[in-house]
Amino acid sequence: MNKPNLKHVQAEKAIRQAISNLKTDDRLPGERVFAKELGISYMTVRKAVENLVQKGILYKIPKKGTYIASPKKAATRTKNIGYFLDSSIKDGLSSPYYSMIFDALEKEATKNGYALVYFTNSNVSNYLEILDKLDGVIVSCFPRIEPIIQEMKKRVRVVCIDNSLRDKTIPSVTLDNFNSVANAIDHLCTLGHQRIGFITGLDDSDIGRDRLAGYISALKSHDISEDPELIYRGDYSFATGRKGADHFLSMDKPPTAIMCANDTMAISAIKHINLLGFKVPDNISIIGFDDINIASQISPALTTISVPVDVVAEQSVKQLLSILHNNEQIYQHAVLPCQLVCRDSSKAQQTHSQTKQAR
């Protein structure tokens, strides 16, 4: 009974010896190549590799191969946690959403005895130097920056928020974007709305794609056909909220409600709708996403999907500290539900003639 286990242990030792001269993040030869070179069975090598992955010595990227993980760092070496935001994000940390995320992460880090250090990649050499002063990093993740995140992984432990990566060895905390938007559209349909416009976010990540998919799915569940003219491609900016509203209200038959992929676009849409002589929500209902601080303070107060930023912060910091304190890999991918908050910007549908008369 002990023979197979002994073989696995021997295989692990042989693999450790074989990779000792390779560099961090080098790709390993295939398991069958190892088996041939070491003179042991393929299944024994496979089991040994799996054990080394579980121990954090190796990691796998689906369809790419097995790689050597970075050397383990001593936990709590600096008592600093980094928060990384890609420099291409519009407005960066001054944007309402990422400002909320940073504040929540800072409170959670402080509660656990850590300082939170914000940094970005506007200067490549500087951001790499900052990594040496951190125990770990929480990254607002987008697929386009996966090479940057893989570079970070060589130096520190990483947890992703917003999106997960193809490399599932990096833990993540994300939102249930699909069902959140679907629930908002369900709400509008129960209020009698049939023509519902959608100002999308960017489609370069799961966030934007899932929010659009949730909109389309909810329409279908209410037997409402998808109308491409009712989908306006936005980018989360204030400018596209105005442009999207202008697009919809120039139609012969404008929508009676508009769902926006974030609050910034929704607030911009409300402002522009008022300038065009329409009234929110009397003539058209508006729903946003995020529940930024100003959402409850504008007039009319914005109906929106509230992101549980405190839970995002709690879960991501918890996952990162678990890795640091236990000095081992974990493979957790939390998906958090969001809550629709009904305020004054949405109400039961008005007739088409009432909407047109508001001009």
Side-chain angles (χ1 to χ4, degrees):
M1 294 293 293
N2 293 327
K3 247 186 169 183
N5 290 332
L6 181 58
K7 285 184 178 180
H8 296 153
V9 171
Q10 291 173 337
E12 282 187 35
K13 288 181 179 179
I15 293 171
R16 284 174 186 262
Q17 181 61 40
I19 67 177
S20 62
N21 295 325
L22 298 176
K23 296 178 181 178
T24 295
D25 269 23
D26 273 352
R27 185 177 183 276
L28 265 64
E31 292 168 1
R32 294 189 186 278
V33 174
F34 258 127
K36 185 176 181 180
E37 290 181 353
L38 299 175
I40 52 183
S41 74
Y42 161 70
M43 292 305 296
T44 299
V45 170
R46 186 175 184 180
K47 178 63 177 176
V49 168
E50 289 176 357
N51 288 344
L52 291 172
V53 168
Q54 291 295 323
K55 293 176 180 179
I57 296 169
L58 303 175
Y59 69 95
K60 290 188 174 184
I61 299 178
K63 298 182 181 180
K64 286 194 174 182
T66 304
Y67 297 79
I68 305 170
S70 59
K72 293 181 170 69
K73 291 194 170 191
T76 67
R77 183 171 61 86
T78 68
K79 300 295 286 186
N80 294 326
I81 292 174
Y83 172 53
F84 178 85
L85 187 61
D86 179 33
S87 60
S88 68
I89 297 294
K90 289 188 177 182
D91 300 324
L93 200 60
S94 64
S95 71
Y97 175 74
Y98 288 111
S99 176
M100 287 197 312
I101 289 292
F102 178 82
D103 287 346
L105 286 171
E106 186 174 45
K107 289 176 184 177
E108 191 65 26
T110 300
K111 187 169 73 175
N112 285 277
Y114 285 77
L116 187 69
V117 178
Y118 169 70
F119 68 115
T120 184
N121 56 325
S122 55
N123 185 308
V124 176
S125 60
N126 284 352
Y127 100 78
L128 292 176
E129 289 177 6
I130 290 172
L131 291 173
D132 294 331
K133 302 173 184 178
L134 306 173
D135 292 335
V137 177
I138 295 170
V139 178
S140 280
C141 168
F142 298 91
R144 63 179 178 269
I145 65 167
E146 180 152 0
I148 293 174
I149 297 173
Q150 291 295 344
E151 188 67 27
M152 289 182 187
K153 182 181 175 180
K154 297 177 185 178
R155 294 167 168 78
V156 294
R157 298 302 196 185
V158 178
V159 171
C160 289
I161 60 175
D162 291 330
N163 293 280
S164 61
L165 288 176
R166 287 178 300 170
D167 178 1
K168 298 307 178 186
T169 67
I170 298 179
S172 64
V173 180
T174 59
L175 305 174
D176 187 356
N177 292 289
F178 178 94
N179 285 310
S180 298
V181 170
N183 290 339
I185 301 303
D186 285 341
H187 170 69
L188 290 172
C189 290
T190 61
L191 293 175
H193 295 278
Q194 296 289 302
R195 282 184 62 77
I196 303 171
F198 185 53
I199 303 178
T200 75
L202 296 170
D203 61 2
D204 62 349
S205 71
D206 288 340
I207 295 174
R209 291 189 292 266
D210 288 350
R211 290 181 188 181
L212 175 58
Y215 161 79
I216 294 171
S217 177
L219 291 181
K220 289 180 179 177
S221 70
H222 289 273
D223 296 321
I224 301 173
S225 298
E226 177 188 344
D227 183 348
E229 287 192 37
L230 290 176
I231 298 174
Y232 184 85
R233 300 288 173 175
D235 60 4
Y236 304 113
S237 70
F238 194 83
T240 53
R242 174 182 57 80
K243 292 175 183 177
D246 200 41
H247 164 77
F248 290 133
L249 296 184
S250 66
M251 294 178 172
D252 290 335
K253 188 179 179 182
T256 61
I258 300 173
M259 174 77 215
C260 300
N262 77 345
D263 286 351
T264 297
M265 294 190 297
I267 291 168
S268 175
I270 289 174
K271 179 180 179 181
H272 192 63
I273 287 166
N274 289 335
L275 289 175
L276 291 176
F278 292 86
K279 293 182 180 179
V280 177
D282 293 343
N283 306 122
I284 189 163
S285 292
I286 302 290
I287 295 183
F289 197 121
D290 288 339
D291 199 16
I292 60 178
N293 294 330
I294 197 174
S296 62
Q297 300 167 12
I298 63 169
S299 181
L302 181 64
T303 296
T304 187
I305 297 165
S306 180
V307 173
V309 291
D310 291 341
V311 182
V312 171
E314 179 185 8
Q315 290 290 320
S316 56
V317 170
K318 180 180 179 181
Q319 289 202 31
L320 184 59
L321 296 187
S322 177
I323 300 170
L324 294 173
H325 293 165
N326 297 323
N327 204 24
E328 62 183 23
Q329 291 285 113
I330 60 173
Y331 307 100
Q332 296 181 8
H333 300 281
V335 180
L336 305 179
C338 301
Q339 183 70 41
L340 178 66
V341 180
C342 295
R343 298 194 180 105
D344 300 332
S345 68
S346 60
K347 64 181 292 187
Q349 177 190 4
Q350 295 292 318
T351 66
H352 172 55
S353 60
Q354 287 174 311
T355 303
K356 296 298 288 184
Q357 288 169 8
R359 278 197 183 273

